[in-house]
Structure formats: C-alpha cells, structure tokens
Amino acid sequence: MMVRKLCIVFLAFYFSSTYAQGEPFQAPSYTINLDLRPEDRWVEVTSKYAKYSPQIVAFIRQKLPADLVPLVEKVAMYMDEYFPAPFPAEMKGVSKGFNLSLADTILINIMYDLTAFCTSIVAQDKQGNIFHGRNLDYSFSEILRNVTFISKFQSKGQVTYTGVTLAGQVGLLTAQLRNAFTVSIDERDKGFLWQNIFQALIEKALPITFLIRTVVSTPGVNFDHAVKVLSQMPLIADCYLIIGGVHAGQGAVITRNRQSAADVWLLSNDTSKNPWFLVETNYDHWTTPPPSDDRRDPAIKALNKVSQKKLSAETMFNVMSEHPVLNNETVYTTIMQAKNPEVFNTWIRRP
C-alpha cells in the first residue's frame, strides 16, 4: 500500500513539475459541499471559471440549428419539471455565477455528454485488482483544458464520491464511488445529434451525466446495482458506459440504446483467463473500428505489451498515453481504482 501511494505521489509531482515543458499537469481540485443549498454548491467554481463561459456558449450556439433554441428556452421555463433534484437548483446557481441564461446553462449540460470521443479501459491484474483508465477527447479541447477540474463531493466533512467536471456541468462524465465502482461515458454515434436532443427534451429523458451522478450518490449502491440501473434507465442518447468494481470480474462495458442496453460485455471472473481487459472507444466492440479512427487496436497492443502481471496505475497511465489513444483532442486522462480510492487522479493533457 505504501509503495502504491508513493508511486501516485511521484506521478502527480512529476507531471505538475514539468507543466512548463508541455507535459501533462495535475488537474485542480474543488470541494462541492453537499450540505449547502444546491444553488450555493458551485459558487467557488463559477467564480473561478466565469471568464470562460462566453467561449463555451459561443461554440455551442454556432452548432445549433435555429429550431432548437425556442425548445431549450421553453425547457428552461419549466426546468423543475424536466430534471430531478438537485439538478435544476444547481443549474440555477451556475447560471447566476456565470451570468448566463438558464437556456445556455442547460445547453452546456446536455452538450457535454453528446459530443465526446473517448477511450475507456477497465482491466484486472493477476490478483483481481480492477483498474480504470479514461481519456476524454473533444473537438474544442483547448477551451476545455482550461475548465477541467476534479470535483470532490463532500457531506458532513467526508468525501462521498469523486468526479471529473467541466465548468458549468453539474452532472459527471467520469466518477468514482469509493469502495464500490468507477464509471466513465464514451459517445456512441447513433442517430443525429439534434434528433437525440429534441427527443430527450420532448420525452424528458435523463441526460447521461445526470444519471451517472445520481447513481454514485445513491446510498448503498454497489457494482451489480450500478450495472443494472445504467442498463435500464432511459437516456438522452446512445452511449457506452464503462464500469469497474472492487472484485475480480467486476468490469463491464454497457452498450446503450436510448431506452435500454443493447449489450453488456464483462470481464472474466477467472483472472487466469481472457478477457482480462475491456477496451471501448466509440464503436460497438463486436464491430471493426474505421481505419481513420482506430484507437482500439493500439490500446489492445499496449495492454498486451504491459501484460496482466505488470498492470498497475502507472502502466495504465502509460497505455492511455500511447498514440493515437492520446491525440491532439485529448482533454484529460483519469486513472481510477474504487478498491483503493486514493489512486483517483486526473491530468490535463497537451499532446
């Protein structure tokens, strides 16, 4: 345990010390106090990142079809009916802190979980220890590198769950519930983007990031329960949900349609047998990724080179740093291990 902690400290020190040379650097961290009123929980964050909100909104609005704006503005008027607590109140607090309309704040929250191209890996070593790595890629990565931070959700002085957040977002794309499970989301490109948004708003489906935060904040939830809920809840769009647990075999990639799971792919319960790792990018695992965007095969090659015997937080980071798993649009890399929650860390990438 002491050796593992020293390795994590070394990684954090090394990358933060070489930031000036263009290397990965430690993401900042903020505490989200769940004992505060929902409207007040993000005040520190919004005061820090308010200067970036016009850039984010401008990027989103230039991608919008004209027909969508009135619909989002209508949703903003009835936000408490469209989204479960605490999300409406928290988004109102974000809107105030960023000096944005509620419609723009809603757009920030539903856009983040619809347009990301990512790589997520869940793997187990010979002892059945589960490691989870994820790279988040975005087309406007330079802006998002400036607004990415670790969010530690705290109640009664204790951290209850942890995530990686993009400023203005109140849901989670990457999250860890200590001693239970880790989870990340990859986009599944099915249907038209705006068709997904229209249908979600009309049918009051739940944004994916809201569902992730809801699950990690549920008392007593474990890996099996998380897989069940994440397989069944109606969502705003198709996606891949990658989950890691605390025991051997507790790793899954859920391929989601909007209404339910199309497939659930699991690690082997036997650590001496395959699959000892699952690699998900943005394509169904039973299909072949296009040659123009094949991050899957390089990741698999890197994992086989590391070997199950030498799998660790450090070697998982190395795998996530292999080209093109790491590419010019990569915003951050997160390494997680629910069994050893102190492993959780995030680095901003500047490839």
Side-chain angles (χ1 to χ4, degrees):
M1 179 65 72
M2 181 59 67
V3 172
R4 179 183 292 111
K5 288 183 177 179
L6 288 174
C7 289
I8 297 301
V9 169
F10 171 77
L11 275 173
F13 172 78
Y14 173 78
F15 289 133
S16 62
S17 67
T18 57
Y19 166 41
Q21 304 170 30
E23 296 290 342
F25 64 96
Q26 175 69 52
S29 178
Y30 293 93
T31 295
I32 311 303
N33 187 350
L34 298 173
D35 299 327
L36 296 177
R37 294 191 317 142
E39 293 88 346
D40 299 330
R41 291 171 182 171
W42 299 92
V43 170
E44 182 181 9
V45 170
T46 55
S47 64
K48 170 71 175 179
Y49 295 106
K51 62 183 178 181
Y52 297 107
S53 60
Q55 299 175 53
I56 300 172
V57 172
F59 176 86
I60 293 173
R61 281 193 168 261
Q62 74 181 10
K63 302 289 185 181
L64 286 175
D67 292 343
L68 183 63
V69 176
L71 180 58
V72 176
E73 290 175 345
K74 182 178 179 180
V75 171
M77 294 174 61
Y78 301 98
M79 189 162 60
D80 292 340
E81 297 179 15
Y82 274 85
F83 304 116
F87 303 115
E90 289 191 6
M91 283 193 285
K92 289 173 184 175
V94 169
S95 294
K96 181 179 179 181
F98 275 176
N99 194 27
L100 294 176
S101 69
L102 284 174
D104 282 335
T105 301
I106 290 171
L107 285 174
I108 288 174
N109 277 270
I110 64 176
M111 278 295 295
Y112 279 152
D113 60 346
L114 290 175
T115 59
F117 283 83
C118 313
T119 301
S120 292
I121 299 171
V122 61
Q124 62 187 359
D125 65 14
K126 286 289 188 179
Q127 289 71 47
N129 297 307
I130 307 296
F131 295 88
H132 190 155
R134 85 98 92 246
N135 282 355
L136 183 79
D137 303 342
Y138 266 104
S139 59
F140 59 124
S141 55
E142 194 54 47
I143 297 173
L144 296 184
R145 289 180 184 123
N146 292 324
V147 297
T148 297
F149 59 93
I150 296 171
S151 46
K152 296 181 178 180
F153 293 83
Q154 180 177 294
S155 179
K156 297 179 176 61
Q158 299 293 319
V159 175
T160 55
Y161 55 95
T162 307
V164 186
T165 311
L166 303 169
Q169 177 189 48
V170 298
L172 295 171
L173 288 162
T174 306
Q176 173 180 277
L177 178 61
R178 56 193 305 117
N179 301 314
F181 64 94
T182 56
V183 58
S184 60
I185 305 166
D186 291 4
E187 181 192 11
R188 187 182 186 213
D189 193 14
K190 296 289 183 180
F192 295 101
L193 173 64
W194 302 116
Q195 175 190 1
N196 292 341
I197 294 179
F198 271 113
Q199 182 161 337
L201 295 179
I202 292 171
E203 296 181 358
K204 302 182 182 179
L206 198 63
I208 302 164
T209 57
F210 289 8
L211 176 59
I212 293 299
R213 186 172 159 198
T214 298
V215 173
V216 296
S217 63
T218 301
V221 67
N222 58 20
F223 172 84
D224 292 330
H225 182 223
V227 171
K228 181 178 180 180
V229 172
L230 295 172
S231 297
Q232 296 176 351
M233 285 289 293
L235 294 175
I236 193 171
D238 297 45
C239 67
Y240 303 100
L241 291 156
I242 301 86
I243 311 169
V246 295
H247 302 297
Q250 289 190 335
V253 173
I254 305 172
T255 301
R256 278 297 310 259
N257 297 323
R258 280 197 287 256
Q259 296 300 318
S260 62
D263 179 77
V264 179
W265 183 28
L266 299 170
L267 285 175
S268 173
N269 285 319
D270 187 339
T271 58
S272 66
K273 295 181 178 180
N274 288 324
W276 65 270
F277 62 79
L278 309 175
V279 176
E280 181 54 62
T281 55
N282 301 100
Y283 309 98
D284 296 345
H285 70 86
W286 58 89
T287 65
T288 301
S292 61
D293 185 30
D294 184 7
R295 288 162 283 127
R296 181 197 298 170
D297 290 324
I300 290 172
K301 182 179 179 180
L303 283 161
N304 285 325
K305 183 177 180 180
V306 165
S307 79
Q308 187 179 19
K309 183 179 180 180
K310 295 181 180 178
L311 181 67
S312 66
E314 296 76 30
T315 57
M316 178 67 87
F317 183 91
N318 292 338
V319 170
M320 305 309 296
S321 301
E322 288 282 338
H323 178 76
V325 179
L326 177 70
N327 57 75
N328 286 335
E329 294 188 348
T330 302
V331 177
Y332 67 78
T333 296
T334 297
I335 305 298
M336 306 180 278
Q337 191 181 29
K339 185 178 180 180
N340 297 293
E342 71 277 3
V343 168
F344 188 104
N345 212 341
T346 295
W347 296 268
I348 310 299
R349 309 306 301 263
R350 294 187 182 273

